[in-house]
Every structure is written in structure tokens, then in C-alpha cells.
Amino acid sequence: MKGRPEILFPLFAGLETLEGVGPKTARNLEPLGVVAPRDLLFTLPYSGVDRRLLPSLETAVLPATLTVAVTIGTHWPPAAKGGAYRIHVEDSATSFQLVFFHARGDYWKRQLPEGSRKIVSGRVELFDNMAQMVHPDFIVPEENASDIPVYEPVYPLTNGITQKLMYKATRATLTRVPQLGEWIDPSQKDQAGWPDFADAVIQAHHPHSDADLAATAPARERLAYDELMAHQLTLALARAKERRKKGRSSIGDARFRQRVLNGLPYQPTGAQTRAIAQITKDMASPHRMNRLLQGDVGAGKTLVAFMALLAAVEAGGQGVLMAPTEILARQHFEVLRPLALQAGVMLEILTGRDKGGERRAKLAALATQGIKILVGTHAVFQADVAFSDLRLAIVDEQHRFGVRQRLELGQKGQNVDVLVMTATPIPRSLALAQYGDMDVSVLDEKPPGRQAIRTALVSTDRIDEVIERLRAAMAQGRQSYWVCPLVEESEVSDLIAAEQRFQRLRATLGEGVVGLVHGQMPPNEKDAAMQAFQRGETKVLVATTVIEVGVDVPNASIIVIERAESFGLAQLHQLRGRVGRGQAASTCLLLYQAPLSASGRQRLEVLRATEDGFVIAETDLKMRGTGDLIGTAQSGVPRFRVADLEKQAGLMQIAQSDARKLLAVDPDLSSPRGKAARVLLWLMRQEEAIRLITVG
């Protein structure tokens, strides 16, 4: 694919090529994400000022920005140096004052001679019962009324950039917008009533009323769709490339899977059965699998994953399951060991802790297929780890692993199938933005026997009652978690909070029954504390959020989350899922510091009302916005300039199916619409995608 098409050159030239933009202004525009004229096109006004001409100010509700024709009256120069210069003016029904500071000599006498007619536009306020317009934004002769915009767009600004400058720079850029071929499906465009690209940009920068600023205004919606379409085309190209990669067909005879299913005390849910069928079908196909398994806390992802691993073994190969931490890897190992015994399949674990002879023995067994299924941390990435015939790699908790690591894992075997598991229910729009290159299986049912968890909101001034509640649970042989608040970003302050809570609970409940685990501990101490709790030696575990993902202690039936209002909803939901795993009725106590803000209470109420992670995630997205929800720095979710993922999830879905359809009929984008789509990719800076397009 050649470089950027010539038709786009003017939009990607230096900012200084725009009239009125010098090197200093260009530097000042950078914080707005503006480094080329093209970026100004997508920096849209966020509000507007109505400057329609009024007959008079008489009935206006002040303060307000108003435009009116006036006759200039008496001038009152300032009495003292630096005072206000005032001019009395009259419109058709009332009078008011124009006020100027730092007036020089007789400048205003010359500009606004007594008796002349002008149109003035600016903010009018009452001062000592007199209406005043201080430093009008516009003063023009009546015959030049059209110089004042009827509705003036208001742009986002940054240090050293004024509205006037933004207005001029965007107007200069609009003269460069070329007529481009259409990349949107014609029926989609007609049905939505969208303008062509060039018209859309011009309309978006020339709003006539507040309605034109809404995300649903046709011009804006079209530009949002263009951004989403370019992003989804990139993901669809990546997906198509993955799919073109030769995979290996892994077809098992179900003998191991059947043994495990026969031994289960319950039937798998419909959602589990469906997911297993989708995954084994992908594995049997000659293309590489790239699938996301999304399931709420306790939806039974582990069983689905194990079935997939067994299918790989039945087909004569090996499988690996990777977890982000050693605690989780060990836990997966403990959960899977009895199932592997039942199937009669050799399962082993490899972490950074394996050293010397033990490690060498495991590596030798891997290389000769003595080990069929390996559970591990990212230690399995190391160069000396070689499989005999790796067919399936499963990654647990995607957000800790980048796309790059997914690929590295795939290189450990020949055309390895990849399955990513996440316990974080992701709202549909974000899942499409982040994992649009993958196929998705969703587990949306809870396996039988999972207990409902009672959730209660408790103010922190009742903390003593809460501690007594834990004492009563201990007397019945039950265990509890106590999660400490997220203080600031620094781990040190989280640590102090946890240490203090640990000391206090130990003093109240007794030595030896309270454990502590936090992120700053050496891994072996952390594991020892977790294991003591898993074995039931400690009854209460004080923890920072290290326990949020996957830790399984069926005997724990209470979780206390301190300063719950400082956590995100999705994270609270994850934490709550640590209880309700055994036979006993379980409780989650959300301790909050009074007074709670209205939105803080609303968020915690959502948690009390539902245990459905998908509902919670959607609510969290609406209330907090994309960036906060997943910590944008490491989320892999793209930043859009016009599109709004929270409000335009539906558009993202249309863009995804449109992009996939276009590539299905025109894989190398060589039709007229395909060529237009290539221009779109360049326009949206999707160089990544452009590299993926195979030439010819």
C-alpha cells in the first residue's frame, strides 16, 4: 500500500500553513491533541452563543449574551486614571451603558461618535440597577450586521488559545476539506439521513442552534460513525489476518471430557454448554481460534476452559492456562487437579518459584508430552519453556495481558488456538472497542447451587457492630474477608490503611486468627497468608484489592468492603464475588463514610439491587464514563474525538458489522467503496490497519 493519498496532503500539512497560525500557536494547540489541520476538523464546538438580533433588552433576563441595535449617546470618560469609560446607548425601548477599561485618549469618541447607529453584541449584566455591556464582543455599523454570527460556536481551549483563534483556524481548515469517495454503506447512509463527509464537517463547525451540537445531530453522528468505522475496520482487518493464518484442526473424541462430565455433581448450564460447543467448533476448524470467554463472577468459566484443554489433549496435543499472578495460577491448579485425575490426564504447574532440578524435570516432561496440561504465570513465556505440541493457549484476565503477549504465547506452538477469559463483565460497546478482533462467548447464567449474596450498606460509625458480626461468624466456624480502602494511587497509603485495620482487628478478635495480605509483601509471604486462610487457620483476612480476582475459599461467607464509595462498581462486584461460593448464606457489607453524595449512594444502591455483572458494568459506564471504568492508560480502549462510547454503543455495533461485511465482499479494499475506505483509514491515522491490508 502506497503512502498517504495526495488528496489528504493539505489536511496533514504543518499547522503553520494555516493562515494566522504561527509556530507559537502551533505549539499551544498541542495539548488539545491538534498537530495537523486534520485534527481541527475533529475538534468540534461543545456549545454555542445565540447572537440573534433582538429589538430591545427591555424584557431580557440578565445576565445574558445579547445582540441589539443602538443609538450612541453621551460619553463619560473615567474620573480617575484606570477607571471605567462609559457610553450611554439607547435601543428601541430602553437604555443601558457600554463600559470599557484602559481606554486611550479619544479613541472611543472617534470610533463611536454621538448619534451614530451600531449593532453591539456581548454579555449584559446589572450593576447598581443599571444594565451594562462590558467590552462588547462585536461592535459593527448597522449595514454590516451579517458580520456577527447568528449562532457562534464555542470551542474547547487551552493555554494561549482564544475562541477567535480557534474560529479562524477551523475556518481556514474547512477550506481544505476535499470531496472524498463514500465509504459508508449507501443504504445505511440513506436510512440514517447522514450528509457526505465534507458537508458533515462543515455543518458540524457551523451549528445554527443547540440541537446541532447534540451527538444525534446528523452531521455529528456521521463523523462519530466515521471514527468508529475506521477503528472497526482496523480490528476486522486484524481479525481477517488472524483467520487467514493457518490454524490446526484439533478434533477430540470426547473421551476425557465425558469422564469429567460424568463425575460432576451438577449439569453444566445452557450457557456453559453453548460456550463449549463454540470453542470446540473453532478448535476443529482449520483457522486459528481467537475467542474471548466473558463470564460474570462464578459463572463457571473454569469448567469451560478445562473442557477446551481436554479437547486439545484428545486431539493429541497439549494445552496451557496462564494466570496473571502466582496465587491465581496455584488456585486454578488446585481446582483443576481433581478434574484432571478424573479424566486421567497429566496436569502440572510452572511458576517463577520453580528452580533447579524441579524446573528441569518439568521442562523435560513438557518437551516429551509427559505433561499434557500446564498451568502457569507468565513464566511460561521464558525461552527455555518448550512444548512438544501446544495446540491451545488460554489466558485468564485479559486486562493484565497486552495483545503483544497474546501473540507471543501463540508463537510457543504451531498455529496455537487462543482463548482469553475475563471475569470482568464488559459493557457491549467497550467489548466491541477493545476486543472487536475476537469472537465472543458469554456465560450469562449462574451454575446451580451458587448462593445469592445479601448486600447491605453500613455507615462507618457502626464499625464496632460489624466487628461483632465477624466474631459471631467465627463462632459458627465461618471465615470473613475485610477489604481495605483504596486511599490514593500510592501503594504505601493502601498499605498503612491495611496495617492499621489488621492491628485493630487482631486486638479485638485475638492473636493468630487475623491474617494480612497486601501488594507490598514478598510473594512467598503473600502466598503463605493466603494459604493459611484457604486452610482455615486464620478466620479473618485483611486485604487490599489483591484478592479481587479469582480467589476461592468456599468457607468465607462475609466480605466487608471499607470505604466502598471509593471503589468502582465493577470492582466492588468482583470483590463481592469472593463470597457465596460455599453452602452458607453469604453477606457483603459495604462500609461507607457518611455523608454519601447522591451519585455515590446511587452507585452503591445499584450493587444492592442486582448481582448481574453486565447490568452493573453498563450502569458503571453510564455513571463514570469510559476512561475511569478501565483506567484508560492500560485499557487498550481507543480515544475517540467525536464518538462517545457511552452514548453511541449502537453505532459501534453497526460499524462492526459494516466493516466485517465490507471486508467479506472486498478483502483487499479494491472496489470503489473499498478504495474510499482506505482513504478513511489514512484520514483517521489508522496506519496499523494500512499495514494489515495485503497488497493486491
Side-chain angles (χ1 to χ4, degrees), residues 522-535:
N524 51 350
E525 283 181 36
K526 204 188 303 183
D527 284 1
M530 286 299 311
Q531 280 163 3
F533 188 64
Q534 276 168 326
R535 287 196 297 265

Side-chain angles (χ1 to χ4, degrees), residues 65-184:
T65 297
L66 303 165
T67 308
V68 67
V70 297
T71 303
I72 304 293
T74 316
H75 287 237
W76 289 298
K81 194 172 175 350
Y85 188 108
R86 299 171 187 279
I87 304 174
H88 182 85
V89 296
E90 289 186 0
D91 65 23
S92 62
T94 184
S95 61
F96 59 100
Q97 290 179 348
L98 303 183
V99 180
F100 301 93
F101 292 96
H102 315 296
R104 292 239 172 90
D106 61 355
Y107 176 80
W108 289 115
K109 271 258 190 310
R110 293 199 313 274
Q111 292 296 314
L112 304 174
E114 213 167 311
S116 61
R117 293 281 295 164
K118 301 284 179 188
I119 292 178
V120 293
S121 182
R123 189 168 169 81
V124 182
E125 300 190 359
L126 274 181
F127 188 74
D128 283 346
N129 268 344
M130 168 56 95
Q132 298 187 339
M133 188 183 284
V134 179
H135 286 277
D137 303 320
F138 294 89
I139 303 176
V140 300
E142 266 189 307
E143 59 274 18
N144 296 0
S146 61
D147 290 357
I148 300 179
V150 176
Y151 186 86
E152 187 182 22
V154 176
Y155 288 94
L157 300 178
T158 178
N159 213 0
I161 300 294
T162 61
Q163 286 299 339
K164 266 202 173 76
L165 233 163
M166 279 301 278
Y167 190 83
K168 262 182 86 163
T170 49
R171 293 316 166 268
T173 305
L174 290 174
T175 62
R176 301 185 175 197
V177 177
Q179 288 297 330
L180 299 172
E182 187 52 80
W183 47 77
I184 297 179

